[in-house]
DNA sequence: GTTTAACCCTGCACGC
DNA sequence: TGCGTGCAGGGTTAAA
């Protein structure tokens, strides 16, 4: 799950979960359920800080969701690659790999489902969020007002890394993963292996625009749902941005712009899709 | 400073 | 049919 999917989830939670009070939290007995709350040594340490609390606000930092509670604690959630929240009620059968169920006083519940267990959730005092290492490292958000193209140009010039890796580095810019980094580079006409400090001002501006446009469009389309992956929104509905993808997952298929077959390479342990004609 | 590889994990596609 | 293998992906970490 990348920025657009996390943001769609945040908005859904903001609409549907804010104002609800948690009656009880159940952490399942499986090993993977304990892995989902791995920062808490004991279940009770986690559940006791949620039970009886009302959700007051839902924020996002990069790919993290922060659910603020009326106790001044915050439930921090990262979805990894297969994690998600599901709104349901007691009559809804448990999806496989459901690790945590929070039941609301007003009825219904909120479930954390995560087959591949790269996701996690933990409770932190809001004034101690600054001490959470991963959150400290979350870099500037590309949809934030303070992210200007001049700032971006400065940051790029400071580094000499391949663009694909840099865009996916959450300590450099937050929110982009494998799918959107490929899409953004295609839109900007830049190859995955271009070095960040070789971009012209024009190229930086193109890239900056591509990042904003693609992320905004993907949010409007409610995220990307690939066949083999299970991203769905809070209510189980898939996104629609997969229809707009220009390069990701399209190896061998003709480029939508020039009809040259899309290529795929391994870089930094990840696959990068690109058009050898349109990107340089 | 940057890059690579390994690790965490499950599900699925593939070849034999 | 059924098994083993490899891959996918986000993020961290150790090593090159």
């Amino acid at each position: 799950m990348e920025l657009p999917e996390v943001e769609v989830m945040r908005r859904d939670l903001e609409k549907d979960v804010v104002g609800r009070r948690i009656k009880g939290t159940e952490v399942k007995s499986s090993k993977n359920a304990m892995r989902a709350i791995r920062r808490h040594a004991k279940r009770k340490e986690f559940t006791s800080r949620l039970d009886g609390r009302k959700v007051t606000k839902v924020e996002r930092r990069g790919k993290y969701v922060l659910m603020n509670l009326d106790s001044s604690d915050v439930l921090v959630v990262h979805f990894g690659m297969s994690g998600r929240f599901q709104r349901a009620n007691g009559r809804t059968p448990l999806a496989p790999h459901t690790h945590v169920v929070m039941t609301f006083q007003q009825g219904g519940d909120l479930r954390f489902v995560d087959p591949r267990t790269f996701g996690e959730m933990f409770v932190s005092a809001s004034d101690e969020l600054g001490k959470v290492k991963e959150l400290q490292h979350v870099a500037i958000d590309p949809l934030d007002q303070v992210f200007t193209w001049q700032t971006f140009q400065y940051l790029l010039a400071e580094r000499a890394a391949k663009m694909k890796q840099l865009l996916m580095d959450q300590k450099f810019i937050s929110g982009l993963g494998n799918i959107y980094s490929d899409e953004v580079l295609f839109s900007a006409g830049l190859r995955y292996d271009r070095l960040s400090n070789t971009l012209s001002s024009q190229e930086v501006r193109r890239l900056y625009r591509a990042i904003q446009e693609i992320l905004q469009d993907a949010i409007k389309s409610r995220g990307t749902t690939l066949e083999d992956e299970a991203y769905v929104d809070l209510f189980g509905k898939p996104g629609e941005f997969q229809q707009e993808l220009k390069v990701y997952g399209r190896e061998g298929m003709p480029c939508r712009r020039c009809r040259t077959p899309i290529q795929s390479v391994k870089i930094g342990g990840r696959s990068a899709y690109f058009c050898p004609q349109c990107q340089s």
Side-chain angles (χ1 to χ4, degrees):
Chain A
M1 207 188 270
E2 306 180 30
L3 187 152
E5 292 78 31
V6 178
E7 177 62 18
V8 169
M9 186 58 80
R10 186 199 69 77
R11 292 180 186 184
D12 283 354
L13 290 166
E14 183 76 39
K15 268 199 202 128
D16 191 73
V17 170
V18 164
R20 291 183 197 270
R21 193 176 291 280
I22 301 166
K23 190 166 69 180
T25 306
E26 186 192 1
V27 178
K28 296 293 173 184
S29 59
S30 65
K31 205 174 93 191
N32 283 343
M34 288 308 289
R35 195 176 137 73
I37 57 159
R38 60 184 81 104
R39 294 193 197 211
H40 299 274
K42 294 180 180 150
R43 276 186 184 73
K44 190 99 198 185
E45 218 177 278
F46 176 73
T47 60
S48 66
R49 291 172 74 174
L50 296 177
D51 294 349
R53 305 272 62 107
K54 189 157 86 176
V55 180
T56 55
K57 188 164 66 158
V58 185
E59 301 168 289
R60 181 182 60 76
R61 282 199 205 163
K63 299 177 187 173
Y64 286 86
V65 160
L66 309 183
M67 280 179 57
N68 293 267
L69 307 173
D70 62 357
S71 55
S72 80
D73 268 346
V74 180
L75 175 63
V76 181
V77 185
H78 192 283
F79 296 103
M81 63 176 290
S82 63
R84 63 187 173 95
F85 270 138
Q86 178 194 16
R87 277 285 276 125
N89 60 55
R91 294 182 298 280
T92 317
L94 278 189
H97 308 292
T98 300
H99 303 315
V100 178
V101 179
M102 287 168 271
T103 304
F104 296 117
Q105 230 162 45
Q106 295 88 341
D109 58 34
L110 180 65
R111 304 172 179 188
F112 183 70
V113 183
D114 186 10
R116 295 183 194 178
T117 72
F118 287 3
E120 68 162 322
M121 54 202 307
F122 59 91
V123 183
S124 166
S126 59
D127 55 9
E128 290 192 351
L129 279 178
K131 293 186 193 155
V132 177
K133 203 172 65 174
E134 290 82 351
L135 289 176
Q136 282 175 344
H137 290 163
V138 173
I140 194 167
D141 192 294
L143 298 185
D144 196 311
Q145 294 275 328
V146 302
F147 180 67
T148 62
W149 81 265
Q150 289 93 338
T151 308
F152 192 37
Q153 182 167 48
Y154 170 78
L155 292 171
L156 286 166
E158 260 191 327
R159 302 284 295 270
K162 297 196 175 109
M163 284 311 303
K164 166 78 173 170
Q165 281 149 302
L166 202 51
L167 289 178
M168 290 207 299
D169 183 351
Q170 304 302 300
K171 299 197 260 310
F172 178 75
I173 180 175
S174 63
L176 294 170
N178 213 27
I179 298 174
Y180 294 106
S181 57
D182 279 358
E183 293 300 313
V184 157
L185 286 171
F186 173 80
S187 174
L190 297 170
R191 264 173 67 111
Y192 63 91
D193 57 356
R194 268 296 287 280
L195 294 180
S196 56
N197 57 358
T198 68
L199 268 56
S200 68
S201 290
Q202 196 188 14
E203 286 174 323
V204 172
R205 278 196 297 263
R206 266 202 327 245
L207 181 59
Y208 174 81
R209 258 202 310 275
I211 291 172
Q212 303 218 320
E213 277 177 20
I214 287 172
L215 293 178
Q216 296 286 13
D217 285 354
I219 292 169
K220 270 190 207 130
S221 302
R222 298 192 60 79
T224 301
T225 301
L226 301 170
E227 301 110 39
D228 57 324
E229 274 163 67
Y231 165 74
V232 286
D233 70 14
L234 187 56
F235 305 99
K237 207 167 160 241
E240 291 178 348
F241 196 72
Q242 59 278 9
Q243 296 162 22
E244 313 298 324
L245 296 178
K246 305 287 194 295
V247 285
Y248 184 84
R250 300 192 70 247
E251 183 175 15
M253 296 164 78
C255 172
R256 295 194 196 279
R257 192 184 283 161
C258 75
R259 311 200 62 78
T260 303
I262 298 300
Q263 288 182 17
S264 156
V265 291
K266 279 271 173 220
I267 174 171
R270 295 287 181 267
S271 54
Y273 297 90
F274 69 105
C275 171
Q277 181 70 34
C278 297
Q279 296 172 255
S280 57

